[in-house]
Amino acid sequence: MNLFSPRYLVLNAAIVALAASLALGAPWWIPLIAAALTVVGITDLLQTKRALRRNYPILAHFRFFFESIRPEIRQYFLEDDTVAEPFSRNQRSIVYQRAKMDTDKRPFGTQLDVYAPGYEWINHSISPAPEQHHDFRIEIGNHPDCRRAQPYSASVFNISAMSFGALSSHAILALNGGAKAGGFMHDTGEGSISPYHRQNGGDLVWEIGSGYFGCRNADGTFSEANFVANATTPQVKMIELKMSQGAKPGHGGVLPGAKVTIEIATTRGVPQGQDCISPSKHSAFSTPLEMLAFIDRLRTLSGGKPTGFKLAIGHPWEFFGIVKAMLATGITPDFIVVDGGEGGTGAAPVEFTDHVGTPLQEALLLVHNTLVGANLRDKIKIGASGKIITAFDIARTLALGADWCNSARGFMFALGCIQSQSCHTDRCPTGVATQDATRQRALVVPDKTRRVANFHENTLKALAQLIAAAGLTHPSQLKAHHLVRRISPNQVKLASALLPYLEPGELLDPSQLSRLPPVFGLYWPMAQAESFNPLC
């Protein structure tokens, strides 16, 4: 070992400084700092786990420090305003501005390249419609042929599923308080209904996952009695059976026992201090027919509240099998929420985040077209979630086939999330995604409650202006022909011409299958109501 190598320059300087400061009687803090650096450097030389520290004692720590703040350096100093990784500075800024009631106007024209392939816009009318109120709503569970005992009037923009445990108690309080103030719904996530969901009285969509949290027996199976106790409370407006999620479709989950506090254990109905398992599939049913029977059972037990399911689209024949089961039994869910593979708030293996699950556009089209082709679309409302932030995102998604939109990360930004991407570490810097009580203190609930409500209201005001400019009076009037997409620098197409759309009943006529898009011609005949597996 050549201790005079430049690699050891800082260590040698620390040793020299220590000796000189002691010899010259320097102020006490100088030898103290020199001694500390010397100890660090010698420790680096002797440790065996990190080669960089052995070769560059003391210096290596500077590298580790800058690596640890790399996301912040990139976000605050290097990031392009329009590059969404996963959300751009402009996307985050519009949420912050609307949540804080700051101006959300922008001078000097668009920053987007309007001639780049993929650029989209909505054509305006030369005779705009009068701007209507912005509290746009849709009725769920109110179809004349299958009207429920307790239909629900929902906003077209709502809070997507985020569980207590993944989010802090302060975050849940603020989200639900904002939902109460703004008259929109708050999806509980599969972690069940916590005391923080109940405190402010905002409308809840109770999501029930494969762990049956809040409605489970000790062995993890579904408990009818526990379900009824929660589902029949007035605050719960709809029941949502979660089949899969965009963040990690087809993947279960484990909340380590160390994180299962008394609050989380009580909310979920699991033992405190033990690993909390979310299986990758449900135990209450195993076929499409059984799934629909279970949904109908939940609806009955809830007292007739709108009941549906959420899924991220995977194998097409599985969803087709569910639709065939609807046709066979006459049982239809009141709604389906389509979760795009763009991911969400749940931390997941990188392979799942990047390469598993169908993106929202294709998933939404498949669900919408299948229901249209099976003559079921008018009976079933469709919600959609997947990187929805602005009024244009809502308008685009509704034009493609949805009835309403959910947003998770958008409302997290309204709470003050800065996209530090440390949600899974329990070290969220803003108190949004942590169970650390000291970190949660940073999130002041009354202030963030107002910001959640402001973001919702100002986004819908922008939506009202947008659809009025297009000559429309309600976002439900948006169709694919209102949306235009650039294909190349010299070519644009209406979404209605670019994307496939089925006519009512086309899937029910076997003679039409050969002329339908290949996904239907190939996989619809393979699907079966009796099994999620395809026919061979």
Side-chain angles (χ1 to χ4, degrees):
M1 178 187 299
N2 180 11
L3 291 178
F4 297 101
S5 168
R7 292 184 285 117
Y8 306 113
L9 178 63
V10 177
L11 173 58
N12 290 332
I15 295 171
V16 170
L18 176 61
S21 61
L22 291 173
L24 298 174
W28 65 268
W29 56 269
I30 295 179
L32 181 64
I33 293 174
L37 288 173
T38 300
V39 170
V40 169
I42 293 173
T43 303
D44 288 342
L45 281 176
L46 298 178
Q47 60 84 36
T48 58
K49 293 185 177 180
R50 292 195 173 185
L52 199 62
R53 287 174 58 194
R54 285 172 65 85
N55 271 339
Y56 298 90
I58 303 177
L59 272 176
H61 292 276
F62 289 93
R63 186 262 187 189
F64 298 141
F65 170 73
F66 286 114
E67 183 182 47
S68 70
I69 63 171
R70 177 180 176 274
E72 287 79 7
I73 292 174
R74 176 183 158 274
Q75 182 179 140
Y76 291 116
F77 302 110
L78 305 176
E79 180 183 56
D80 188 288
D81 284 347
T82 61
V83 175
E85 295 179 350
F87 288 88
S88 71
R89 165 57 63 181
N90 282 345
Q91 287 175 309
R92 300 196 305 275
S93 293
I94 196 69
V95 179
Y96 300 148
Q97 289 159 355
R98 288 176 173 165
K100 296 176 183 179
M101 300 296 285
D102 290 343
T103 179
D104 59 357
K105 307 300 185 288
R106 181 183 299 152
F108 224 66
T110 181
Q111 296 180 9
L112 303 178
D113 182 356
V114 298
Y115 294 99
Y119 174 74
E120 293 178 325
W121 70 92
I122 288 177
N123 280 335
H124 67 282
S125 171
I126 200 168
S127 179
E131 190 174 322
Q132 303 292 312
H133 64 85
H134 58 273
D135 185 23
F136 301 118
R137 311 196 77 82
I138 59 162
E139 293 289 323
I140 305 174
N142 200 26
H143 189 274
D145 294 342
C146 46
R147 194 180 192 281
R148 307 306 172 196
Q150 301 183 59
Y152 179 62
S153 176
S155 171
V156 298
F157 188 44
N158 303 283
I159 302 172
S160 195
M162 294 180 284
S163 299
F164 169 59
L167 297 192
S168 68
S169 59
H170 286 212
I172 296 295
L173 282 169
L175 288 172
N176 194 257
K180 174 70 172 179
F184 52 101
M185 56 185 174
H186 178 193
D187 194 312
T188 65
E190 67 174 306
S192 193
I193 309 169
S194 72
Y196 308 106
H197 286 98
R198 299 183 192 276
Q199 183 169 320
N200 289 314
D203 290 352
L204 293 177
V205 181
W206 182 18
E207 182 180 272
I208 298 170
S210 56
Y212 304 115
F213 301 129
C215 57
R216 61 186 267 139
N217 296 308
D219 62 357
T221 56
F222 175 72
S223 166
E224 183 173 295
N226 290 335
F227 173 80
V228 170
N230 276 319
T232 54
T233 58
Q235 192 181 354
V236 174
K237 303 301 182 183
M238 302 203 303
I239 311 296
E240 177 182 278
L241 183 69
K242 175 191 150 185
M243 299 298 293
S244 57
Q245 67 181 85
K248 45 186 174 181
H251 189 283
V254 178
L255 185 65
K259 293 186 177 182
V260 182
T261 64
I262 183 62
E263 287 183 315
I264 291 175
T266 302
T267 295
R268 298 192 177 196
V270 298
Q272 180 184 0
Q274 295 184 22
D275 289 350
C276 180
I277 308 296
S278 296
S280 58
K281 64 179 182 179
H282 284 264
S283 61
F285 55 86
S286 58
T287 70
L289 290 171
E290 292 174 356
M291 173 189 163
L292 289 180
F294 186 63
I295 287 175
D296 202 41
R297 179 184 173 196
L298 296 181
R299 184 162 48 214
T300 300
L301 292 172
S302 72
K305 295 180 179 180
T307 304
F309 63 93
K310 178 180 88 172
L311 84 168
I313 291 294
H315 298 310
W317 61 79
E318 294 175 343
F319 180 68
F320 292 166
I322 296 171
V323 175
K324 285 190 173 182
M326 297 179 199
L327 295 171
T329 62
I331 299 172
T332 55
D334 298 299
F335 63 90
I336 298 172
V337 174
V338 184
D339 212 11
E342 290 86 338
T345 55
V350 67
E351 292 85 359
F352 279 75
T353 299
D354 291 346
H355 300 293
V356 179
T358 306
L360 179 58
Q361 174 179 289
E362 286 71 26
L364 175 58
L365 282 172
L366 184 80
V367 171
H368 172 77
N369 273 326
T370 306
L371 296 180
V372 169
N375 276 335
L376 295 171
R377 182 65 180 88
D378 63 328
K379 296 182 179 181
I380 303 171
K381 293 292 191 290
I382 298 178
S385 55
K387 297 189 77 171
I388 294 171
I389 295 290
T390 68
F392 178 77
D393 297 332
I394 298 173
R396 177 186 187 277
T397 306
L398 300 187
L400 292 178
D403 293 297
W404 87 84
C405 294
N406 293 335
S407 177
R409 288 170 288 184
F411 282 99
M412 286 179 68
F413 292 142
L415 289 171
C417 168
I418 60 171
Q419 194 173 272
S420 69
Q421 300 183 61
S422 56
C423 312
H424 60 299
T425 66
D426 206 36
R427 296 194 297 272
C428 171
T430 57
V432 174
T434 178
Q435 297 305 305
D436 185 328
T438 59
R439 289 178 179 269
Q440 289 188 42
R441 287 185 65 254
L443 199 160
V444 180
V445 174
D447 177 59
K448 303 305 182 185
T449 296
R450 288 191 296 272
R451 293 191 184 188
V452 168
N454 290 343
F455 169 56
H456 176 268
E457 181 175 21
N458 287 325
T459 301
L460 288 190
K461 284 181 178 178
L463 180 63
Q465 294 172 347
L466 191 154
I467 64 167
L472 309 176
T473 57
H474 194 279
S476 62
Q477 297 168 329
L478 285 161
K479 305 299 177 187
H481 63 261
H482 291 110
L483 183 66
V484 190
R485 182 179 303 170
R486 182 169 293 284
I487 308 302
S488 72
N490 301 311
Q491 185 182 23
V492 301
K493 282 190 176 182
L494 297 179
S496 57
L498 182 64
L499 302 172
Y501 281 92
L502 269 60
E503 295 296 325
E506 279 192 303
L507 280 175
L508 305 181
D509 184 356
S511 66
Q512 298 293 317
L513 289 180
S514 61
R515 55 177 292 274
L516 297 182
V519 66
F520 297 102
L522 178 62
Y523 294 122
W524 179 260
M526 297 169 58
Q528 51 182 334
E530 296 77 17
S531 173
F532 287 111
N533 295 321
L535 288 167
C536 297

